[in-house]
Amino acid sequence: MSIHSFIKPGAFEPEMIAVMSEAFEAACTELHDTGQPQIVLEVIAERIIAAARMGEHDPLRLREAALRGFSDGDLVVT
């Protein structure tokens, strides 16, 4: 799965989508993306998109924003 399916066409420049894709793939890999429920991937994508809308452009910080609240692959409710 790719972050492209979560982004509305024209919402971001191609360069930013590439950065967001890098962050999404890194976050999914860190959570061992095989077998993750669809909702987990959606949460990761939504968090990356939200951080990007707020002006974040660093793929490492986007990945960190996506993974906040996850522990051992499970969502931790705070």
Side-chain angles (χ1 to χ4, degrees):
M1 173 160 279
S2 130
I3 199 166
H4 289 92
S5 60
F6 299 100
I7 300 172
K8 293 180 183 176
F12 294 96
E13 296 294 325
E15 297 81 15
M16 189 61 208
I17 293 173
V19 169
M20 294 164 65
S21 294
E22 179 183 338
F24 181 79
E25 291 171 23
C28 289
T29 298
E30 189 162 329
L31 287 177
H32 313 289
D33 59 339
T34 55
Q36 290 297 329
Q38 178 68 22
I39 190 69
V40 172
L41 301 178
E42 290 173 15
V43 169
I44 290 170
E46 288 172 5
R47 290 177 177 181
I48 289 171
I49 292 166
R53 281 189 181 130
M54 294 179 67
E56 184 56 67
H57 291 85
D58 182 86
L60 294 175
R61 288 194 292 259
L62 288 170
R63 180 189 59 81
E64 290 170 3
L67 294 175
R68 273 190 207 108
F70 285 93
S71 172
D72 298 325
D74 295 324
L75 182 62
V76 176
V77 179
T78 55

